[in-house]
């Protein structure tokens, strides 16, 4: 912009800088202006079509026949079958138990995100108590609660449970693997490295097939249930990746940190838990949050070994003769729920980074 | 008082009784023993819904033809299926190892009988409970009444599948030509058909009925009557447990023989009181002999029909006119009605 136009601008009555900037960005020349106008029109049109489909013409409650009268989305399938999606094959009259158990896990996840609980003992206590509570409510068999075996668990509650179990078993395992890989003893370090690289070179699907199908054939008296085996398999997978993330955090620290701690006479455990790991975690926070988000979505892979998770329950939800045509609505709903979880996780990660002043 | 002679005579009589009385083949099936001890029959479900055969209702209960067949087997063993059936959700790939590892006791999961599965997997197939015909779905607006009317049209098929091959062979046999619109996956083929990129879509008829419903406008489509190929569908058990296979085969026979004789869940009590034929009387337990020989109670046939209904009732409620799919029995009728199904004779 030349000085002359600046002068001219000052002479004109004041226009809000936002509108001014918008005008400059979108309509600098006639051709660009035309393209902008077309782009905006297209975006508005797409938004209008989507809104018309999802809200204006949609059917929110009622029967499949009601839906077929209109051209919009058939959200009636969600109101008719949401319990199936959230609780899967859990006995219908006991759904409240699955609901409470799921809410407990969500509450504990939220609680663990609050700095008040950030000490190893508090976190451990919180998780042990809540897992015990989850098990009592979900599985029953005590306090007069009817027993519901793990094969009957399903839906969103089961997905969250598998995710929590994976993270809970996987995170300590990851720390151990990361530390072992940095061990002073070459043999230990090599073994840890080979283990991590082997697991990372296997697809998760292979691991799931192994724990769910191969193990029972090789060891017919396997005491672990299918869900526990799945959690252990997924935790191993999670740990292999997370271990490398932690190691990258550790290696990004100046060597002086650990040497200074050594010079002060701190033992190995104190050096690790007080000096190295806290800083490593802070530096590795962004990839750690990604790893959690990835793991949450990877839980959906268990559908291929017949675990009735949220995705499988969604398949079942539109899988009846009456609702067969509502697959788009069901998948949109599933995606929305996944989005809620993963997006909150990302926002939380962003808050943590601000709090810890990562990158500054 | 009997003397020594009397004792000897009694001894001979007893020995003769042991030697010549009708031998009773008590069930020696390992699987049956395991199921009875467990009190539960484990059958495969699906990882989601497989419409018409294994789907989940609003309350999370399984239903469908395959599920009902499993319940019939459980009813044969326990007299009722309530609390005696456990449906294990399984993906397609998982069903074979699940049977091998004993996770399920039988596979009743829309599984076609092939040489490979029979010879190489270590399983045995039961008598078929369904012949799955490949048919063709067309929009009604096309006005076609048989495949012959589709000459010069386009048909959507997933590339490289047995369906593609059967359609090509059939078209050659009836001497008409169609353009093939192939896609990598079945879902893509379905979408191509629904968006009107071709005039016809070939699949197993149950899947066609499902696709018709998926379109949201079931009345706009019709399944042409021609069967262009068929796949025999049976239950599978682990090889070497013949007595267990018998139980599945005779459960199927009970369902079919009841339909043949007009025995339904409604009239089974009258039929048991006044059996129309000796075989039916035996099957329903009016006269003994049906259960003992395969290791079940003598009234198991009655229980199956009372609880599950006959084959026709099971078909109609899951796939036929009383279901959203509205399929005809077609080739899956009894042999008298022009179908391929038959019961084993009950003597």
């Amino acid at each position: 912009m030349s000085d002359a136009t600046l002068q001219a601008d000052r002479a004109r009555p004041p226009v809000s800088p936002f509108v001014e900037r918008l005008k400059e960005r979108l309509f600098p020349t006639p051709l660009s202006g035309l393209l902008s106008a077309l782009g905006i029109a297209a975006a508005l049109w797409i938004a209008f079509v989507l809104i018309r489909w999802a809200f204006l013409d949609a059917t929110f409650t009622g029967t499949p026949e009601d839906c077929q009268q209109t051209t919009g989305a058939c959200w009636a399938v969600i109101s008719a079958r949401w319990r199936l999606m959230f609780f899967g094959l859990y006995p219908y009259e006991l759904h409240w138990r699955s609901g409470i158990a799921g809410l407990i896990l969500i509450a504990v996840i939220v609680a663990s995100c609050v700095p008040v609980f950030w000490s190893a003992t508090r976190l451990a206590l919180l998780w042990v108590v809540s897992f015990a509570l989850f098990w009592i409510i979900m599985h029953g068999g005590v306090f007069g609660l009817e027993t519901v075996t793990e094969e009957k668990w399903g839906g969103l509650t089961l997905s969250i449970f598998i995710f929590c179990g994976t993270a809970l078993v996987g995170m300590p395992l990851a720390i151990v693997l990361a530390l072992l890989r940095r061990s002073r003893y070459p043999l230990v370090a090599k073994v840890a490295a080979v283990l991590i690289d082997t697991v990372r070179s296997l697809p998760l699907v292979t691991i799931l097939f192994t724990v769910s199908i191969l193990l029972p054939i090789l060891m017919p008296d396997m005491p672990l249930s299918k869900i526990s085996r799945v959690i252990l398999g997924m935790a191993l997978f999670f740990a292999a990746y997370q271990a490398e993330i932690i190691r990258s955090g550790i290696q990004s620290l100046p060597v002086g940190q650990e040497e200074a701690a050594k010079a002060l006479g701190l033992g190995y455990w104190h050096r690790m838990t007080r000096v190295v790991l806290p800083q490593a975690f802070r530096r590795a926070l962004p990839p750690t949050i990604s790893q959690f988000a990835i793991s949450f979505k990877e839980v959906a892979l268990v559908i291929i070994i017949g675990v009735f998770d949220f995705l499988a329950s969604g398949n079942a939800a539109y899988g009846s003769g009456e609702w067969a045509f509502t697959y788009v609505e069901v998948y949109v709903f599933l995606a929305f729920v996944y989005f809620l979880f993963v997006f909150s996780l990302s926002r939380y990660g962003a808050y943590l980074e601000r709090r810890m002043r990562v990158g500054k | 008082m009997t003397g020594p002679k009397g004792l000897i005579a009694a001894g001979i009589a007893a020995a003769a009784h042991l030697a010549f009385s009708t031998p009773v083949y008590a069930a020696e099936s390992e699987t049956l023993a395991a199921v009875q001890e467990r009190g539960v029959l484990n059958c495969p479900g699906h990882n989601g819904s497989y419409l018409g055969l294994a789907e989940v209702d609003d309350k999370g209960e399984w239903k469908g033809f395959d599920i009902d067949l499993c319940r019939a087997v459980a009813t044969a063993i326990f007299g009722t299926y309530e609390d005696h059936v456990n449906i294990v959700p399984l993906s397609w790939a998982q069903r074979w190892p699940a049977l091998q590892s004993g996770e399920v006791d039988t596979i009743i999961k829309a599984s076609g009988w092939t040489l490979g599965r029979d010879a190489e997997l270590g399983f045995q197939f039961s008598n078929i409970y369904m012949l799955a015909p490949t048919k063709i779905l067309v929009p009604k607006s096309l006005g076609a009444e048989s495949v012959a009317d589709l000459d010069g049209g386009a048909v959507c098929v997933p590339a490289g599948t047995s369906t593609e091959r059967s359609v090509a062979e059939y078209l050659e046999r009836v001497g008409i030509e169609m353009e093939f619109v192939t896609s990598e996956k079945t879902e893509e083929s379905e979408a191509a058909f629904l968006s009107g990129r071709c005039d016809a879509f070939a699949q197993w008829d149950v899947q066609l009925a499902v696709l018709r419903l998926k379109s949201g406008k079931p009345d706009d489509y019709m399944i042409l009557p021609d069967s262009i190929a068929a796949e025999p569908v049976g239950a599978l058990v682990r090889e070497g447990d013949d007595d267990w296979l018998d139980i599945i085969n005779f459960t199927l026979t009970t369902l079919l023989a009841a339909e043949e004789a007009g025995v339904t869940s409604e009239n089974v009590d009258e039929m048991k009181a006044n059996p129309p034929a000796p075989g039916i009387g035996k099957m329903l337990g009016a006269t003994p002999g049906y259960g003992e020989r395969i290791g079940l109670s003598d009234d198991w046939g009655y229980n199956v029909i009372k609880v599950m209904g006959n084959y026709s009732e099971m078909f109609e409620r899951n796939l036929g006119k009383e279901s959203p799919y509205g399929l005809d029995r077609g080739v899956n009728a009894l042999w008298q009605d022009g179908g391929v199904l038959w019961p084993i004779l009950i003597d």
Side-chain angles (χ1 to χ4, degrees):
Chain A
M1 226 187 252
S2 71
D3 284 348
T5 39
L6 270 178
Q7 293 296 329
D9 279 350
R10 279 192 196 127
R12 266 188 235 147
V15 185
S16 93
F18 177 70
V19 173
E20 193 75 359
R21 214 167 47 226
L22 213 59
K23 224 192 247 170
E24 242 167 64
R25 292 259 167 90
L26 293 175
F27 307 100
T29 66
L31 179 64
S32 299
L34 183 69
L35 288 177
S36 299
L38 283 177
I40 292 172
L44 284 179
W45 185 74
I46 291 174
F48 170 69
V49 169
L50 277 181
I51 290 172
R52 194 176 57 181
W53 176 78
F55 300 104
L56 304 181
D57 288 349
T59 315
F60 289 91
T61 52
T63 61
E65 289 74 34
D66 295 340
C67 281
Q68 298 190 330
Q69 310 291 325
T70 63
T71 53
C74 180
W75 302 118
V77 64
I78 311 295
S79 59
R81 317 257 290 179
W82 66 273
R83 288 175 68 162
L84 181 59
M85 282 190 252
F86 282 0
F87 309 125
L89 302 174
Y90 207 79
Y92 190 75
E93 58 283 4
L94 300 178
H95 275 175
W96 60 274
R97 275 169 53 185
S98 183
I100 292 178
L103 285 178
I104 288 180
L105 286 187
I106 294 176
V108 173
I109 295 174
V110 172
S112 342
C113 293
V114 180
V116 179
F117 287 97
W118 288 353
S119 83
T121 39
R122 280 186 201 171
L123 272 184
L125 197 70
L126 183 70
W127 279 97
V128 168
V129 169
S130 61
F131 258 66
L133 212 59
F134 177 89
W135 184 266
I136 289 171
I137 295 176
M138 205 59 183
H139 185 269
V142 285
F143 306 126
L145 291 174
E146 196 181 319
T147 305
V148 182
T149 52
E150 284 170 50
E151 293 110 60
K152 293 255 179 265
W153 298 9
L156 186 60
T157 308
L158 181 63
S159 288
I160 296 177
F161 175 67
I162 294 178
F163 170 68
C164 289
T166 302
L168 215 61
V169 179
M171 191 50 104
L173 192 60
I175 296 174
V176 170
L177 281 176
L179 293 181
L180 286 182
R181 189 161 189 180
R182 284 182 49 79
S183 163
R184 279 187 293 137
Y185 307 103
L187 185 66
V188 175
K190 280 269 152 41
V191 169
V194 167
L195 181 65
I196 289 173
D197 290 345
T198 308
V199 174
R200 287 201 305 171
S201 63
L202 296 173
L204 180 55
V205 172
T206 322
I207 296 179
L208 289 176
F209 264 106
T210 309
V211 295
S212 74
I213 293 171
L214 221 53
L215 274 188
I217 294 180
L218 298 177
M219 305 162 68
D221 299 323
M222 165 70 61
L224 292 170
S225 70
K226 184 162 157 188
I227 303 286
S228 343
R229 293 193 314 255
V230 165
I231 288 179
L232 290 182
M234 291 194 64
L236 184 66
F237 191 76
F238 174 86
Y241 283 88
Q242 183 60 27
E244 290 297 277
I245 292 174
I246 296 172
R247 190 167 69 97
S248 72
I250 296 176
Q251 285 177 346
S252 75
L253 294 180
V255 193
Q257 292 281 335
E258 198 176 348
E259 283 171 352
K262 236 184 228 173
L264 284 173
L266 294 182
Y268 180 77
W269 288 115
H270 279 115
R271 283 203 312 276
M272 288 303 140
T273 56
R274 299 288 153 100
V275 179
V276 174
L277 283 178
Q279 299 188 72
F281 263 102
R282 183 180 299 186
R283 289 179 181 223
L285 193 62
T288 303
I289 297 286
S290 296
Q291 189 59 31
F292 274 118
I294 291 170
S295 296
F296 185 72
K297 288 183 282 186
E298 271 172 352
V299 171
L301 277 179
V302 299
I303 190 174
I304 58 136
I305 48 162
V307 174
F308 224 81
D309 75 325
F310 193 40
L311 186 63
S313 307
N315 278 348
Y318 72 80
S320 82
E322 296 82 13
W323 296 108
F325 63 96
T326 60
Y327 51 98
V328 174
E329 287 85 348
V330 168
Y331 280 125
V332 167
F333 180 73
L334 294 182
F336 176 68
V337 173
Y338 267 104
F339 175 81
L340 278 188
F341 274 90
V342 178
F343 192 72
S344 334
L345 188 67
S346 313
R347 292 327 300 158
Y348 172 70
Y351 152 78
L352 273 189
E353 283 178 34
R354 278 197 305 280
R355 191 191 139 88
M356 294 183 169
R357 290 191 293 278
V358 175
K360 278 191 186 167
Chain B
M1 278 210 54
T2 41
K5 273 187 191 169
L7 276 177
I8 291 166
I12 291 173
H17 179 75
L18 280 178
F20 298 114
S21 64
T22 338
V24 172
Y25 297 107
E28 280 159 20
S29 161
E30 266 176 53
T31 313
L32 179 62
V35 169
Q36 280 170 333
E37 196 194 316
R38 204 189 305 135
V40 167
L41 176 71
N42 287 326
C43 286
H46 193 61
N47 53 347
S49 280
Y50 191 62
L51 281 87
L53 297 163
E55 56 182 68
V56 186
D57 71 8
D58 290 355
K59 299 199 162 188
E61 296 284 338
W62 288 100
K63 65 173 190 171
F65 191 86
D66 282 351
I67 300 295
D68 270 3
L69 199 53
C70 168
R71 287 180 176 154
V73 175
T75 309
I77 300 169
F78 298 106
T80 167
Y81 68 83
E82 298 277 340
D83 296 329
H84 291 296
V85 170
N86 178 29
I87 304 292
V88 185
L90 292 181
S91 60
W92 292 112
Q94 239 184 324
R95 61 198 150 144
W96 317 126
L99 182 59
Q100 274 155 351
S101 69
E103 198 179 352
V104 291
D105 301 304
T106 171
I107 297 173
I108 304 175
K109 189 173 164 68
S111 301
W113 194 343
T114 69
L115 173 62
R117 289 171 184 176
D118 196 327
E120 288 157 18
L121 287 175
F123 298 139
Q124 261 174 308
F125 274 84
S126 72
N127 288 346
I128 67 163
Y129 64 84
M130 203 177 268
L131 192 63
T134 302
K135 293 191 175 185
I136 285 187
L137 185 71
V138 292
K140 274 187 187 158
S141 56
L142 218 56
E145 280 171 9
S146 78
V147 177
D149 299 336
L150 297 175
D151 200 1
V155 58
C156 280
V157 282
T161 58
S162 56
T163 312
E164 185 185 12
R165 205 175 52 231
S166 346
V167 173
E169 284 169 5
Y170 185 80
L171 293 182
E172 195 161 326
R173 201 155 69 231
V174 296
I176 63 168
E177 283 196 14
M178 292 187 80
E179 185 199 338
F180 280 70
V181 180
T182 55
S183 319
E184 273 309 302
K185 296 177 72 183
T186 308
E187 289 81 2
E188 289 169 34
S189 280
E190 290 182 355
F193 171 70
L194 291 182
S195 64
R197 285 196 359 234
C198 43
D199 312 303
F201 180 74
Q203 251 289 359
W204 179 24
D205 65 352
V206 174
Q207 291 306 303
L208 293 182
V210 169
L211 182 60
R212 194 164 58 179
L213 289 169
K214 265 190 188 168
S215 74
K217 295 177 287 262
D219 297 334
D220 292 2
Y221 296 93
M222 62 181 283
I223 299 174
L224 295 178
D226 320 54
S227 296
I228 62 178
E231 190 173 351
V233 176
L236 291 95
V237 300
R238 285 178 289 271
E239 214 156 54
D241 199 344
D242 299 13
D243 294 323
W244 178 237
L245 192 60
D246 282 348
I247 287 176
I248 294 186
N249 276 334
F250 279 99
T251 304
L252 197 55
T253 281
T254 305
L255 297 169
L256 292 167
E259 184 188 350
E260 198 175 33
V263 184
T264 64
S265 53
E266 309 265 300
N267 69 12
V268 64
D269 288 295
E270 300 154 40
M271 288 291 196
K272 187 177 180 180
N274 304 301
I280 298 302
K282 184 171 272 187
M283 184 178 91
L284 297 177
T287 51
Y290 194 45
E292 195 184 20
R293 287 187 282 174
I294 58 170
L296 297 174
S297 71
D298 260 342
D299 62 348
W300 73 270
Y302 166 84
N303 292 334
V304 168
I305 302 304
K306 181 79 185 168
V307 176
M308 303 306 304
N310 63 30
Y311 188 96
S312 163
E313 292 176 271
M314 265 169 57
F315 187 94
E316 295 304 337
R317 89 175 154 249
N318 289 306
L319 297 168
K321 299 292 170 236
E322 297 160 29
S323 76
Y325 311 105
L327 286 173
D328 291 324
R329 279 289 284 279
V331 287
N332 289 308
L334 282 170
W335 64 272
Q336 296 96 322
D337 308 328
V340 298
L341 297 178
W342 42 265
I344 303 171
L345 286 183
I346 300 163
D347 56 1

